[in-house]
Amino acid sequence: MGRLLIIGAGGVGRVVVHKCAGLPDIFEQITLASRTLEKCEKIRDSVKRPIDVRRVDADQIEEVRALIEETGAELVVNVALPYQDLTIMEACLQAGVNYLDTANYESPDESHFEYSQQWAFHERFAERGITGLLGSGFDPGATNVFCAYAQKHYFDEIHSVDILDCNGGSHGHAFATNFNPEINIREITQEGKYWEDGQWKTIPAMSYMMSWDYPEIGPRDSYLLYHEELESLVKHLRGLRRIRFFMTFGQEYLTHLRVLGNVGMTSIEPIDYEGHPVIPLKFLKQLLPDPSSLAPTYSGKTNIGCLFDGIKDGQKRRIYIYNVCDHAACYREVGAQAVSYTTGVPAMIGAAMLMRGTWKGPGVFNMEQFDPDPFMDWLNQHGLPWTVKEL
Ligand code: NDP
C-alpha cells in the first residue's frame, strides 16, 4: 500500500499532487497538508482523483508526527519551505518513515544554504532503517542526477561543471519571483561562491556574468551564484577541479533588486515600525505576486542543464545535458508555471523511487548518490525530457 503525505500547498505542492495522483498504482493514498487548509482544498478540487487534505503547522514536530501516524504515511514529501526541513525530518525519524525534500534547511534568522544540519541526521536515519532524500527538485535535484549520469556514462573524470539555469519566460509583471520570494531573494542577494582547486572562492553578489546560448531560448546574461547542490557534488564527483552555478536575470529584474536592496527591503534583520517588529523581506513578500498566480499568463520556456568538461579514455570531452520546459504547456497540464513544474516532477519521481524501493538505503542521501538511470528514464516519461549534446 503506497501511502503518501505531501506537506506544502504552494506552486510546487500543486504539481506534486497532480503528478502523484496520476500514478495510483504507486501512490494509492495521498494526503495533502499545509498551514492554510483552503489552499489544500483548492488543489484537491483541481485533481481528478480523490485525495485527503489536512491542516498542519510543520514547525511543530508533534503535529507532523501525529499526522504521519493518523494517515499511516510511508513517505513524507516536504514541499513547504526550507524552514520546516528539520522539524519534518525529526517527525519522520520519530515515526520511522522515509523523507524527501527539494531545498536545504534554512534558519529563519540567518541565510546559510548548507546541508550540515540535515546531514547530521544520517546516523539516526540509518539506525532507524529509513531513507532521507535531500534536494529532489530540479536544481538541486535533476541537475545532481545529470552529474551522476555524466559520470556514469560519459566520463572517467569530470574536471569542471557549470550548472546553467535560464528562465526565458515572461510573466508580464515589473518584478516578481518564480518561487517563494523570501527564499529566492535570500538566495540571490548572498555572496557568489564557487569551488575551484580544492577550495571555496567567494565574489560579491552578481559580480560575475557570462552569456550562454540556451537551446530553444537564445543567448542570455547568466550570473554566478552560490547554489546548494555545489556542496554535495563537490563530495561526490571524481576528479573535480571546478564547479559553478549560473542563473539568468534580465536588467529590469536586477534594477528592481538593487533598488530594493539599497533601501533595505531585502534585509532579514527585524526593524521597529511604530512599536511593531517588522522583517523587511517578509513584508516585501506580502507585496509581491504569489508565484503560483503567475501561471495563467506565463509564456516562454525554461532551460536548465549542466555543462561538463573532463576526460574519457584519455581524450578531452565536453558534454551538455539539459531540459527545456514550456510555461504555457505546464499550465495546460497541471495549472502551474514551469518553475513549479520542473521542481514538482522530480519530487514526484524521487518519491516513486523511494516508494518502489528503486532507490533505497538507510541514512540521508543527496540525489547523485543513487543510480541515475531509472530517474533519467522517468524524467523522459513524465514531462521533463532531456537532451545530451557532445560539444
Ligand atoms: P510556496 O511559498 O508557493 O508554498 C509553500 C507552501 O508551504 C505554502 O502552501 C505554505 O503555506 C506552506 N507552509 C509554509 N510554512 C508552513 C508551515 N509551518 N507548516 C505547513 N505548511 C507551511 O513555495 P513553492 O511551492 O514555490 O516552493 C516550495 C518549496 O520548493 C520551497 O522549499 C522552495 O525552496 C522549493 N523549490 C525548490 C526548487 C528546486 O529546483 N530544487 C525550485 C523552486 C522551489 P501558506 O500558504 O499558508 O504560507
Side-chain angles (χ1 to χ4, degrees):
M1 181 73 178
R3 287 182 294 257
L4 178 68
L5 171 61
I6 300 166
I7 302 182
V12 178
R14 179 186 183 89
V15 178
V16 180
V17 168
H18 273 261
K19 288 300 211 178
C20 291
L23 295 167
D25 292 347
I26 300 172
F27 306 107
E28 292 168 65
Q29 177 195 302
I30 299 172
T31 305
L32 172 64
S34 195
R35 192 164 49 183
T36 312
L37 186 64
E38 297 78 61
K39 291 197 180 176
C40 301
E41 290 169 341
K42 212 169 154 194
I43 294 174
R44 177 195 62 195
D45 296 343
S46 72
V47 191
K48 291 195 185 100
R49 207 184 119 192
I51 65 158
D52 290 328
V53 291
R54 292 281 191 285
R55 207 204 82 81
V56 73
D57 179 357
D59 290 324
Q60 309 304 324
I61 298 169
E62 269 306 306
E63 275 194 35
V64 180
R65 198 187 75 185
L67 185 59
I68 295 171
E69 284 166 1
E70 183 200 331
T71 58
E74 292 143 74
L75 167 66
V76 178
V77 168
N78 166 18
V79 280
L81 295 180
Y83 310 131
Q84 281 83 49
D85 288 4
L86 301 185
T87 45
I88 300 177
M89 286 181 86
E90 186 61 45
C92 286
L93 190 61
Q94 290 182 11
V97 302
N98 293 334
Y99 168 87
L100 176 153
D101 66 30
T102 65
N104 69 189
Y105 170 68
E106 272 291 281
S107 147
D109 312 318
E110 246 179 308
S111 293
H112 278 299
F113 294 103
E114 62 177 51
Y115 280 114
S116 56
Q117 284 166 282
Q118 292 183 272
W119 285 341
F121 277 82
H122 181 73
E123 299 297 326
R124 287 191 296 153
F125 265 53
E127 278 163 22
R128 196 79 163 88
I130 56 172
T131 309
L133 183 59
L134 305 183
S136 191
F138 206 98
D139 48 341
T143 49
N144 302 56
V145 178
F146 289 173
C147 290
Y149 190 76
Q151 179 159 267
K152 181 172 175 184
H153 297 286
Y154 291 95
F155 292 97
D156 295 324
E157 279 185 9
I158 294 178
H159 291 163
S160 109
V161 184
D162 280 341
I163 301 171
L164 301 161
D165 178 330
C166 172
N167 181 1
S170 160
H171 48 55
H173 292 263
F175 185 76
T177 63
N178 298 296
F179 64 96
N180 186 276
E182 228 182 293
I183 301 298
N184 188 210
I185 291 175
R186 273 183 180 220
E187 192 171 84
I188 62 191
T189 51
Q190 62 174 339
E191 282 188 316
K193 191 164 89 170
Y194 63 104
W195 190 86
E196 190 171 45
D197 298 331
Q199 50 181 308
W200 291 103
K201 300 187 174 173
T202 49
I203 57 169
M206 303 289 180
S207 62
Y208 184 80
M209 188 274 281
M210 66 158 186
S211 182
W212 181 255
D213 192 355
Y214 293 88
E216 298 188 43
I217 294 175
R220 286 287 189 282
D221 291 351
S222 309
Y223 292 82
L224 189 148
L225 298 183
Y226 179 66
H227 222 242
E228 62 205 59
E229 63 264 50
L230 304 185
E231 190 186 8
S232 68
L233 288 167
V234 160
K235 289 170 64 134
H236 299 131
L237 295 182
R238 278 191 306 270
L240 193 64
R241 295 175 190 168
R242 187 182 72 187
I243 183 164
R244 307 182 295 185
F245 182 95
F246 289 87
M247 192 178 273
T248 60
F249 297 100
Q251 282 312 312
E252 177 83 352
Y253 184 94
L254 293 176
T255 304
H256 274 81
L257 195 65
R258 196 170 60 246
V259 173
L260 291 167
N262 284 343
V263 298
M265 280 301 288
T266 58
S267 167
I268 57 174
E269 291 299 321
I271 55 148
D272 180 78
Y273 178 72
E274 297 184 350
H276 302 286
V278 174
I279 296 173
L281 183 55
K282 281 191 183 285
F283 180 71
L284 175 62
K285 173 183 181 264
Q286 290 305 113
L287 297 176
L288 293 176
D290 178 342
S292 59
S293 74
L294 307 174
T297 55
Y298 224 131
S299 61
K301 292 176 180 176
T302 61
N303 178 323
I304 314 175
C306 300
L307 179 68
F308 302 97
D309 281 291
I311 299 283
K312 179 74 178 174
D313 300 328
Q315 302 289 315
K316 283 189 175 176
R317 191 166 211 194
R318 170 170 268 204
I319 294 285
Y320 183 29
I321 308 181
Y322 61 87
N323 161 263
V324 177
C325 192
D326 183 288
H327 285 287
C330 298
Y331 186 67
R332 283 194 298 277
E333 185 190 331
V334 295
Q337 34 97 341
V339 177
S340 306
Y341 190 89
T342 52
T343 310
V345 172
M348 174 281 283
I349 298 176
M353 295 290 123
L354 294 181
M355 207 61 120
R356 289 161 49 123
T358 313
W359 282 4
K360 59 173 183 251
V364 171
F365 300 91
N366 294 89
M367 305 287 287
E368 67 274 16
Q369 293 179 269
F370 289 110
D371 179 9
D373 292 357
F375 196 100
M376 293 294 273
D377 288 344
W378 275 59
L379 284 172
N380 274 335
Q381 290 160 25
H382 294 276
L384 295 176
W386 41 273
T387 302
V388 182
K389 268 193 184 157
E390 180 115 37
L391 302 181

